[in-house]
Coordinates of all heavy atoms in Angstrom, one line a residue:
V421 N -66.1 94.2 -59.4 CA -64.8 93.6 -59.5 C -65.1 92.1 -59.4 O -66.0 91.6 -58.6 CB -63.9 94.0 -58.3 CG1 -64.5 93.7 -56.9 CG2 -62.6 93.3 -58.4
H422 N -64.3 91.3 -60.3 CA -64.5 89.8 -60.1 C -63.7 89.3 -59.1 O -62.6 89.7 -58.7 CB -64.0 89.2 -61.5 CG -65.0 89.5 -62.6 ND1 -65.0 90.7 -63.4 CD2 -66.0 88.8 -63.2 CE1 -65.8 90.6 -64.3 NE2 -66.5 89.6 -64.3
E423 N -64.3 88.3 -58.5 CA -63.6 87.6 -57.3 C -62.3 87.0 -57.6 O -61.5 86.8 -56.7 CB -64.7 86.6 -56.7 CG -65.0 85.5 -57.5 CD -65.9 84.6 -56.7 OE1 -65.7 84.4 -55.5 OE2 -66.8 83.9 -57.3
D424 N -62.1 86.7 -58.8 CA -60.8 86.1 -59.2 C -59.8 87.0 -59.6 O -58.6 86.7 -60.2 CB -61.0 85.0 -60.3 CG -61.6 85.6 -61.6 OD1 -62.0 86.7 -61.6 OD2 -61.5 84.8 -62.6
M425 N -60.0 88.4 -59.4 CA -59.0 89.4 -59.9 C -57.9 89.3 -59.1 O -57.9 89.2 -57.9 CB -59.7 90.8 -59.9 CG -58.9 92.0 -60.5 SD -59.7 93.5 -60.6 CE -60.8 93.1 -62.0
N426 N -56.7 89.6 -59.8 CA -55.4 89.5 -59.1 C -55.2 90.7 -58.0 O -55.7 91.7 -58.2 CB -54.3 89.5 -60.0 CG -54.3 88.3 -61.0 OD1 -54.7 87.2 -60.4 ND2 -54.0 88.4 -62.2
V427 N -54.4 90.4 -56.9 CA -54.1 91.4 -56.0 C -53.3 92.5 -56.7 O -52.4 92.3 -57.5 CB -53.3 90.8 -54.9 CG1 -52.8 91.9 -53.9 CG2 -54.1 89.8 -54.1
G428 N -53.6 93.8 -56.4 CA -52.9 95.0 -57.1 C -53.7 95.4 -58.2 O -53.4 96.5 -58.8
S429 N -54.7 94.8 -58.8 CA -55.5 95.2 -59.8 C -56.3 96.4 -59.4 O -56.9 96.6 -58.3 CB -56.4 94.1 -60.4 OG -55.7 93.1 -60.8
I430 N -56.5 97.4 -60.4 CA -57.3 98.7 -60.1 C -58.7 98.3 -60.4 O -59.1 97.9 -61.4 CB -56.8 99.8 -61.1 CG1 -55.3 100.1 -60.7 CG2 -57.7 101.0 -60.9 CD1 -54.6 101.2 -61.6
I431 N -59.5 98.7 -59.5 CA -61.0 98.5 -59.5 C -61.7 99.7 -60.3 O -62.5 99.5 -61.1 CB -61.6 98.3 -58.1 CG1 -60.9 97.0 -57.4 CG2 -63.1 98.1 -58.2 CD1 -61.3 96.8 -56.0
G432 N -61.3 100.9 -59.8 CA -61.9 102.1 -60.4 C -61.3 103.3 -59.7 O -60.2 103.2 -59.0
A433 N -61.8 104.4 -59.9 CA -61.2 105.7 -59.4 C -62.3 106.7 -59.0 O -63.4 106.6 -59.5 CB -60.3 106.4 -60.4
V434 N -62.0 107.5 -58.0 CA -62.8 108.7 -57.5 C -62.2 110.0 -57.9 O -61.0 110.0 -58.0 CB -63.1 108.6 -56.1 CG1 -63.9 107.3 -55.7 CG2 -61.9 108.6 -55.2
T435 N -63.0 111.0 -58.1 CA -62.5 112.3 -58.4 C -63.0 113.4 -57.5 O -64.2 113.5 -57.4 CB -62.7 112.6 -59.9 OG1 -62.3 111.5 -60.8 CG2 -62.1 113.9 -60.4
A436 N -62.1 114.3 -57.1 CA -62.6 115.4 -56.3 C -61.7 116.6 -56.5 O -60.6 116.5 -57.0 CB -62.5 115.1 -54.8
W437 N -62.2 117.8 -56.4 CA -61.4 119.0 -56.5 C -61.9 120.1 -55.6 O -62.8 120.0 -54.9 CB -61.8 119.5 -58.0 CG -63.1 120.0 -58.2 CD1 -63.6 121.2 -58.0 CD2 -64.2 119.2 -58.6 NE1 -64.9 121.3 -58.3 CE2 -65.3 119.9 -58.7 CE3 -64.3 117.8 -59.0 CZ2 -66.6 119.6 -59.0 CZ3 -65.6 117.4 -59.3 CH2 -66.7 118.3 -59.4
D438 N -61.0 121.1 -55.5 CA -61.2 122.2 -54.6 C -62.1 123.2 -55.3 O -61.7 123.8 -56.3 CB -60.0 122.8 -54.1 CG -60.1 124.0 -53.1 OD1 -61.2 124.1 -52.6 OD2 -59.1 124.7 -52.8
P439 N -63.3 123.5 -54.7 CA -64.2 124.4 -55.5 C -63.8 125.8 -55.4 O -64.4 126.7 -56.0 CB -65.6 124.1 -54.8 CG -65.3 123.7 -53.5 CD -64.0 122.9 -53.6
D440 N -62.8 126.2 -54.5 CA -62.5 127.5 -54.2 C -61.6 128.0 -55.4 O -61.1 127.3 -56.3 CB -61.7 127.7 -53.0 CG -62.5 127.3 -51.7 OD1 -63.7 127.7 -51.7 OD2 -62.0 126.6 -50.9
A441 N -61.4 129.4 -55.4 CA -60.8 130.0 -56.5 C -59.2 129.6 -56.4 O -58.5 129.5 -57.5 CB -60.8 131.5 -56.5
A442 N -58.7 129.2 -55.3 CA -57.4 128.8 -55.1 C -57.1 127.5 -55.8 O -55.9 127.3 -56.2 CB -56.9 128.8 -53.7
N443 N -58.1 126.6 -55.9 CA -58.0 125.3 -56.5 C -56.9 124.6 -55.9 O -55.9 124.1 -56.7 CB -57.9 125.4 -58.0 CG -58.1 124.1 -58.8 OD1 -58.6 123.2 -58.1 ND2 -57.7 124.0 -59.9
N444 N -56.8 124.3 -54.6 CA -55.7 123.6 -53.9 C -55.8 122.1 -54.4 O -56.8 121.6 -54.8 CB -55.8 123.7 -52.4 CG -55.6 125.1 -52.0 OD1 -54.9 125.8 -52.5 ND2 -56.5 125.5 -51.0

Side-chain angles (χ1 to χ4, degrees):
V421 57
H422 287 86
E423 61 178 327
D424 62 346
M425 186 173 287
N426 297 327
V427 175
S429 301
I430 295 177
I431 301 172
V434 297
T435 303
W437 67 90
D438 183 10
D440 299 320
N443 194 17
N444 295 320

